[in-house]
Amino acid sequence: MSLVTRAGTPVDAPVAPPKVLRQRRTRPGLLGLAVLLIALGGLGAAFAVTSVRATGSYLAVARPVEVGRQLSADDLVSVQVSGGAGLAPVPAGKLAEVVGKRAAVGLTPGTLLTMGQLTDAPLLGAGQQQIALGLKQSQVPARKLHPGDKVLLVSTPAGNDDSQAPGTRFTGTVIDTATPENDDVVVYVALSARDVPAVVVLAAQERIALVLVEAA
């Protein structure tokens, strides 16, 4: 390539050197991070799909249920639950199978029901019998006794007995309670069969005191 000067003499023009494009170097760390993010995104999508597929109707506790009380349909409610990995809730379709079973533990409202919380075993143990004690409100050791509460029945002296001898003690377990219209409290207690005759006599004489030893 040449240029023409004012004098008309052509001269050679300098030739610009070609530009060399520098290639960017790929950093292995960034590449690995990108692959990790893609993998995590795939796992998240898979987890979301699995959770949706695992959604189902299960039984939950609708109101407090004491130990030993039989379940009714009103005690339970059907809820929708997603996932539930590690849990074994009772499907809502098994409502008829759990109604009538007893609570092996205290059931709290808002929690999912599991078969491990229920039992078919009777509250009366081997060699036990059940009696009913009619008590006044002031004679009940707690505002409300619950099935499974451990109690102690203690004989009290007769009206004309001034002795200081300690009363006879009988251990028992509360089966249930009821409150008749006269505001008295009827406590159904499981006792050893050998203690029942003596407790019945003391109860008829109104010489029995009930003590709460251990709450269920």
Side-chain angles (χ1 to χ4, degrees), residues 160-203:
N160 56 356
D161 187 356
D162 295 332
S163 66
Q164 301 298 319
T168 306
R169 301 183 178 189
F170 310 92
T171 59
T173 303
V174 175
I175 299 295
D176 203 354
T177 60
T179 304
E181 295 181 357
N182 60 0
D183 289 334
D184 285 347
V185 178
V186 178
V187 183
Y188 301 93
V189 182
L191 294 172
S192 173
R194 67 174 180 271
D195 296 334
V196 169
V199 173
V200 169
V201 171
L202 291 170

Side-chain angles (χ1 to χ4, degrees), residues 15 17 26 38 50 53 57 84 90 97-98 104 109 112 117 127 129 140 143 151 155 162-163 170 179 185 190 203 212:
V15 178
T26 302
I38 294 173
T50 303
R53 290 178 180 176
S57 298
V90 180
E97 297 181 25
V98 299
L112 292 175
Q117 297 172 321
Q129 294 179 345
V140 180
R143 180 170 297 181
V151 295
S155 65
D162 295 332
S163 66
F170 310 92
T179 304
V185 178
L212 177 62

Side-chain angles (χ1 to χ4, degrees), residues 2 9 27 34 62 72 76 78 84 101 110 116 123 153 165 192 203 207 212:
S2 61
T9 303
R27 297 182 180 180
S72 68
L76 304 171
S78 176
K101 291 183 179 294
L123 292 183
L153 304 181
S192 173
R207 294 179 49 215
L212 177 62

Side-chain angles (χ1 to χ4, degrees), residues 83-180:
L87 300 177
V90 180
K94 293 188 176 181
L95 176 64
E97 297 181 25
V98 299
V99 168
K101 291 183 179 294
R102 295 185 182 275
V105 297
L107 302 181
T108 304
T111 59
L112 292 175
L113 182 71
T114 65
M115 293 303 296
Q117 297 172 321
L118 307 177
T119 181
D120 288 322
L123 292 183
L124 280 176
Q128 288 186 324
Q129 294 179 345
Q130 176 177 308
I131 66 169
L133 298 176
L135 304 173
K136 297 179 180 179
Q137 291 281 357
S138 59
Q139 295 176 301
V140 180
R143 180 170 297 181
K144 183 174 179 58
L145 292 172
H146 303 278
D149 286 348
K150 303 299 182 183
V151 295
L152 189 66
L153 304 181
V154 183
S155 65
T156 58
N160 56 356
D161 187 356
D162 295 332
S163 66
Q164 301 298 319
T168 306
R169 301 183 178 189
F170 310 92
T171 59
T173 303
V174 175
I175 299 295
D176 203 354
T177 60
T179 304

